[in-house]
Amino acid sequence: MFGHRKNNYLLSIIASPFFLALPFSLAIIWFLPNPDSKFKAEFIGEELIDKPAASVQFSDLNGDEVDEQVLSFHNSINSEAAIKVLNSEGLTLDQWNFNGYFPTQPEYFYCADLDNNGYKEIYVFYFKEDSVFLGAVQPYPEAIWLFNKKLITTVTIRNNKIDYFVYDVQSFDIDRDGTKELIFILDAGFSRQPRGVFIFDQQKDLMIHSPSFGAYLLDCLVNDLNQDSIPEIYCGSSATANILKSFDIPYNDHSSWFIGMDNKLELLFPPQENPGITSGVSVSKFKSDGGKPFVVTGWKIPEEYKAKMAFHEANGKEFKSKTFEFTPEEWKQMRLYNIPYELKGKHYLFIGLIDGYFVFTDQDFKLLRIKTSLSKVSLYLKCDLNNDGREEALFITENGEEIIISDPDLKHFVRVPTHLKADNRVTLESGIRHNVHNQNELFLHAYDNLYFYSYQANPLYYLKYPLWLLIYGLVVLILWVAQRLQTMQTQRKQQMEETINSLQMRVIKSQMDPHFMFNVLNGLAHNVAIGNTTEAHDQIIRVSKLLRSMMSKGEKVDAPLVSELDFVKSYLELEKFRFKDDFNFLLQVGPSVDLNTRIPRMLIQLLVENAIKHGLRNKPDNKRILIKAETRNAKTILIVEDNGIGRKAAKEYQRESGNGMKIMSDMILLNSKITGNTIRVTTSDLYDNEGKASGTRVEVEV
């Protein structure tokens, strides 16, 4: 007994929706995306650039927090330098043409609000003959020229052309007069000279420049190391070996240099040399956890496969330094970044990706290593993509097929395909576009196409566990509802069967009229007594057939028309035997009537029985009844018509309320619920020429 109860208990658990929902929920969850990162990155789409071979930047020129698009290119009229601005809807605002040309470099212009009027100006670098000029336009609130041809410097002509580059353009209030100045590096390439740092003070209309160096400058870092509120400028360089040592140019480019200048571009200390061709010195800012500023230099020493990192105080004084040694194979893959990074509230420098680790150091050269699965990638950009006030790190794969974006803590990485064509992955411009939805978008510019990407918090990361519980709950609910509906359907079916059986029994009882059966049995007995066995036998057969038809298939609520007509014919034969020659009936079926049409069981018999009981029983003689089936407007019409005393007179003879019509109504209602068929019953009184009642007519439309 205990085992039986245990089996029942286990069966109830297995059949429970809470248990049945488990495999279904797990299957659904298996096919759902399972976000393992707090953030998601998506490729938004690509746009064809407005001008082929143009350089592109996005900048908020009018202060509405939505970026406009700025393009620099050579116009189609005389191939001279031009700037075009598209508003946030992509429509052309204006175009400015300059009497000169752009060199083959990406930085043709820079957007900044130097006059503090709330609208950014566009500063354009171009050349003509041996001179490099600066022009400026202000697109908003009205498009105006500020100036067109401010001389920056002249460049040595070599092989009938000049070769120069403008780097690291930035705006800074270098003289602390309340307005910003434009600071930039201008390096001659094979033209050799000049090479130096330039400052343009728009308010004073003044262009100043540093002494010209032989060093090929790369970085221009503005910092206040001595904390006297007057910033200094620090530069790194690379050894390009474009200038012969025999040329009397200081700080030649056969070495790389660390150079410091004050805000008037005078040297703060003798430049520090890193000898050797292909050597390099990079500079970056750093602030200790105590708030002390440093300039960090990264010294690349290729001849010895070494790299040195040094922290410098004011006047270039070395605070601390450390030298890292590499094997020749490691040296090929090594890249020294020296990028300031904040992790867990502590300040570090990002050194690089080494042997599967992100490697960081603090000012005491205590290394922090963070394990990563990334390989063969380079740090491409640091920027705030999701407007949270912290900069994300953007890496790009060697083949340029994917961008990998990390949160500032380097814990959550998301990959997004660049969708760049194979031949477009070499030279890329990149940056941020602030769109109309107050969101930052990363853009890549490759040849004539712009590619856009979004990066934002992934709500599914935080919602996946509640989502899984919700899925499980919904599956439980669905299974519970399904079980409940099944139970209700079973109960409804049982209830219908009980109703059918009850109606069937009521019909049977209704048909088994005691007087009718008594008269039939008396008639049978009389025929037997007088020896009329043939007629008695026929009547017994009819009664048997009638009873068998009523008792069989009691669970069905409908039946074919042909079987119902046959049943009524047997019933009327018995009634004729009961009333003798005083009763006649006629059955008529139209040629177009479908005898397979299903009608409520015993519907015709109930109508006939009602006509006999109330219309013909109290009629003295010549009792007639007509049963007719015909087709009208594609519907089957059943007619039961008697020549009785009429409904009004029948009420005077009615001693008790009959239940035949009530049973018929119940049968019709039940049939409609089960089959959906609509059945209409119309009863009308018949009158003769003198206006006297001459019978009743009932029409049933199926």
Side-chain angles (χ1 to χ4, degrees):
M1 183 174 181
F2 175 76
H4 180 69
R5 295 172 77 180
K6 182 180 179 181
N7 289 338
N8 287 341
Y9 178 70
L10 290 174
L11 212 68
S12 65
I13 292 177
I14 294 173
S16 166
F18 294 97
F19 183 84
L20 293 175
L22 284 173
F24 289 104
S25 302
L26 290 174
I28 294 171
I29 291 170
W30 177 266
F31 288 102
L32 287 177
N34 183 18
D36 56 359
S37 174
K38 290 182 179 180
F39 304 93
K40 64 176 182 177
E42 295 177 329
F43 173 67
I44 300 174
E46 63 179 285
E47 296 177 7
L48 192 65
I49 200 167
D50 187 75
K51 291 288 183 180
S55 181
V56 180
Q57 286 186 26
F58 288 91
S59 183
D60 180 12
L61 299 177
N62 57 2
D64 65 351
E65 298 184 351
V66 181
D67 286 350
E68 285 72 39
Q69 185 179 158
V70 186
L71 303 98
S72 61
F73 54 95
H74 287 106
N75 62 41
S76 58
I77 299 174
N78 49 19
S79 298
E80 290 187 334
I83 291 288
K84 185 175 185 178
V85 175
L86 307 180
N87 63 20
S88 56
E89 296 177 353
L91 303 177
T92 299
L93 180 69
D94 211 333
Q95 178 175 318
W96 294 265
N97 299 307
F98 297 83
N99 186 21
Y101 308 94
F102 289 129
T104 55
Q105 66 169 82
E107 293 192 48
Y108 304 146
F109 60 91
Y110 181 77
C111 302
D113 182 15
L114 297 189
D115 56 9
N116 290 335
N117 68 348
Y119 300 96
K120 287 185 179 180
E121 306 86 52
I122 303 175
Y123 295 89
V124 184
F125 301 89
Y126 66 98
F127 76 93
K128 188 168 185 181
E129 297 176 352
D130 64 346
S131 300
V132 181
F133 297 98
L134 180 67
V137 298
Q138 182 170 290
Y140 291 97
E142 294 180 359
I144 58 172
W145 283 92
L146 296 178
F147 54 87
N148 186 15
K149 208 169 185 179
K150 179 71 177 178
L151 178 66
I152 298 175
T153 187
T154 57
V155 179
T156 303
I157 295 177
R158 189 178 183 190
N159 297 327
N160 296 320
K161 64 180 181 179
I162 63 173
D163 176 30
Y164 75 94
F165 300 90
V166 174
Y167 289 114
D168 215 356
V169 184
Q170 54 192 293
S171 57
F172 201 91
D173 186 6
I174 196 75
D175 57 5
R176 290 295 188 245
D177 64 351
T179 59
K180 294 180 179 179
E181 288 75 43
L182 205 64
I183 306 169
F184 56 93
I185 293 172
L186 190 149
D187 278 335
F190 290 105
S191 292
R192 297 171 179 164
Q193 286 293 292
R195 292 176 179 177
V197 178
F198 291 76
I199 298 176
F200 172 63
D201 189 331
Q202 180 172 315
Q203 187 177 25
K204 299 174 184 177
D205 192 25
L206 179 65
M207 184 78 69
I208 64 173
H209 59 84
S210 68
S212 187
F213 307 111
Y216 192 86
L217 304 181
L218 292 179
D219 305 307
C220 186
L221 181 67
V222 180
N223 204 352
D224 183 13
L225 290 188
N226 57 14
Q227 302 185 59
D228 62 354
S229 299
I230 300 176
E232 308 93 43
I233 296 174
Y234 300 91
C235 296
S237 72
S238 65
T240 57
N242 288 335
I243 302 176
L244 297 176
K245 287 185 177 181
S246 58
F247 283 49
D248 188 19
I249 301 174
Y251 318 116
N252 68 74
D253 62 357
H254 287 255
S255 297
S256 53
W257 303 84
F258 171 46
I259 301 172
M261 292 168 277
D262 61 17
N263 66 340
K264 296 179 182 178
L265 300 182
E266 296 179 357
L267 292 176
L268 290 171
F269 53 84
Q272 300 176 19
E273 184 178 8
N274 180 22
I277 297 175
T278 72
S279 68
V281 177
S282 62
V283 295
S284 57
K285 287 183 179 181
F286 183 80
K287 183 179 286 187
S288 70
D289 295 332
K292 182 178 179 178
F294 292 95
V295 169
V296 181
T297 55
W299 301 68
K300 190 176 179 182
I301 311 169
E303 293 180 356
E304 301 177 17
Y305 302 115
K306 293 180 181 179
K308 185 181 84 168
M309 182 179 292
F311 289 81
H312 298 268
E313 298 176 307
N315 297 319
K317 180 180 177 181
E318 191 174 286
F319 174 71
K320 280 186 179 180
S321 67
K322 184 173 182 178
T323 300
F324 302 88
E325 295 186 3
F326 301 89
T327 66
E329 189 64 30
E330 289 173 337
W331 183 260
K332 292 178 183 178
Q333 302 177 8
M334 191 277 301
R335 180 175 178 182
L336 200 62
Y337 286 98
N338 291 349
I339 297 175
Y341 220 103
E342 185 177 339
L343 290 169
K344 300 177 181 178
K346 187 174 176 63
H347 293 84
Y348 292 94
L349 276 174
F350 174 57
I351 298 175
L353 182 60
I354 304 172
D355 294 334
Y357 288 89
F358 291 116
V359 182
F360 300 84
T361 183
D362 62 9
Q363 73 270 18
D364 297 320
F365 292 104
K366 293 179 180 178
L367 297 182
L368 172 68
R369 298 174 183 266
I370 299 177
K371 184 69 176 176
T372 178
S373 60
L374 298 184
S375 62
K376 296 184 179 180
V377 297
S378 58
L379 182 60
Y380 189 66
L381 188 66
K382 276 193 72 186
C383 57
D384 182 9
L385 276 174
N386 58 354
N387 284 328
D388 63 352
R390 300 180 67 193
E391 291 185 331
E392 285 74 38
L394 279 70
F395 301 86
I396 192 164
T397 56
E398 281 184 346
N399 55 18
E401 291 182 351
E402 280 188 320
I403 295 172
I404 303 164
I405 305 175
S406 168
D407 68 312
D409 297 323
L410 297 173
K411 291 182 178 179
H412 301 275
F413 295 85
V414 290
R415 295 173 177 263
V416 57
T418 60
H419 294 271
L420 299 177
K421 300 178 179 66
D423 55 350
N424 285 4
R425 298 174 188 159
V426 180
T427 303
L428 292 174
E429 284 184 311
S430 63
I432 299 297
R433 177 176 74 172
H434 197 70
N435 65 24
V436 294
H437 304 296
N438 197 31
Q439 295 175 337
N440 287 341
E441 297 172 347
L442 170 69
F443 79 87
L444 299 180
H445 171 212
Y447 291 96
D448 296 336
N449 293 311
L450 288 169
Y451 302 83
F452 296 94
Y453 313 85
S454 67
Y455 176 81
Q456 53 193 309
N458 186 359
L460 291 180
Y461 179 83
Y462 298 98
L463 293 176
K464 63 179 179 180
Y465 298 113
L467 179 63
W468 293 352
L469 288 175
L470 178 62
I471 289 171
Y472 174 71
L474 287 174
V475 174
V476 169
L477 180 62
I478 291 170
L479 291 175
W480 180 83
V481 169
Q483 289 182 346
R484 183 67 178 164
L485 289 174
Q486 187 178 23
T487 302
M488 291 173 62
Q489 188 176 9
T490 302
Q491 291 175 347
R492 182 170 173 265
K493 184 177 180 182
Q494 291 175 348
Q495 189 177 14
M496 283 187 177
E497 288 177 354
E498 291 174 0
T499 303
I500 292 170
N501 292 334
S502 175
L503 284 172
Q504 185 68 24
M505 292 303 298
R506 288 165 63 187
V507 170
I508 292 171
K509 289 179 181 179
S510 169
Q511 301 312 310
M512 298 298 110
D513 186 292
H515 294 78
F516 167 71
M517 292 304 297
F518 179 76
N519 290 335
V520 168
L521 292 175
N522 277 343
L524 288 173
H526 175 71
N527 282 332
V528 172
I530 64 174
N532 192 356
T533 57
T534 300
E535 187 175 355
H537 175 268
D538 291 341
Q539 297 305 322
I540 290 172
I541 293 301
R542 290 191 183 96
V543 172
S544 173
K545 184 178 180 181
L546 185 67
L547 291 175
R548 183 169 58 252
S549 178
M550 287 191 297
M551 296 298 293
S552 66
K553 300 180 182 178
E555 73 280 0
K556 299 291 184 180
V557 295
D558 59 3
L561 176 60
V562 63
S563 64
E564 288 299 292
L565 291 174
D566 189 51
F567 175 82
V568 168
K569 183 177 180 182
S570 299
Y571 175 76
L572 289 171
E573 291 288 351
L574 288 174
E575 288 288 0
K576 183 173 177 60
F577 172 69
R578 174 184 172 188
F579 289 111
K580 302 300 181 182
D581 295 332
D582 198 27
F583 175 75
N584 286 295
F585 68 89
L586 179 62
L587 271 171
Q588 292 181 349
V589 179
S592 60
V593 173
D594 183 4
L595 293 175
N596 291 317
T597 302
R598 301 191 72 85
I599 64 172
R601 282 181 61 80
M602 304 186 81
L603 172 64
I604 303 175
Q605 189 275 335
L606 286 170
L607 293 173
V608 169
E609 188 259 352
N610 193 66
I612 294 172
K613 183 183 291 186
H614 298 289
L616 299 178
R617 177 183 292 176
N618 296 301
K619 182 176 173 64
D621 55 12
N622 192 24
K623 301 177 179 67
R624 295 191 310 275
I625 191 166
L626 171 65
I627 298 95
K628 187 177 182 181
E630 63 183 24
T631 302
R632 191 186 305 162
N633 297 328
K635 293 184 178 180
T636 301
I637 307 297
L638 304 176
I639 301 171
V640 177
E641 182 179 313
D642 65 73
N643 67 340
I645 61 176
R647 287 186 294 175
K648 184 176 179 180
K651 290 180 181 179
E652 297 177 2
Y653 293 98
Q654 190 172 347
R655 298 178 182 178
E656 57 183 15
S657 58
N659 60 358
M661 296 305 291
K662 177 65 169 61
I663 293 172
M664 184 182 73
S665 297
D666 290 345
M667 290 290 286
I668 290 174
L669 181 61
L670 183 63
N671 182 275
S672 297
K673 285 183 179 180
I674 296 175
T675 65
N677 295 331
T678 301
I679 298 174
R680 293 183 176 85
V681 180
T682 305
T683 305
S684 57
D685 295 313
L686 303 177
Y687 298 93
D688 60 16
N689 294 333
E690 297 178 358
K692 295 179 181 181
S694 62
T696 305
R697 178 188 179 96
V698 179
E699 286 193 9
V700 180
E701 181 184 287
V702 181

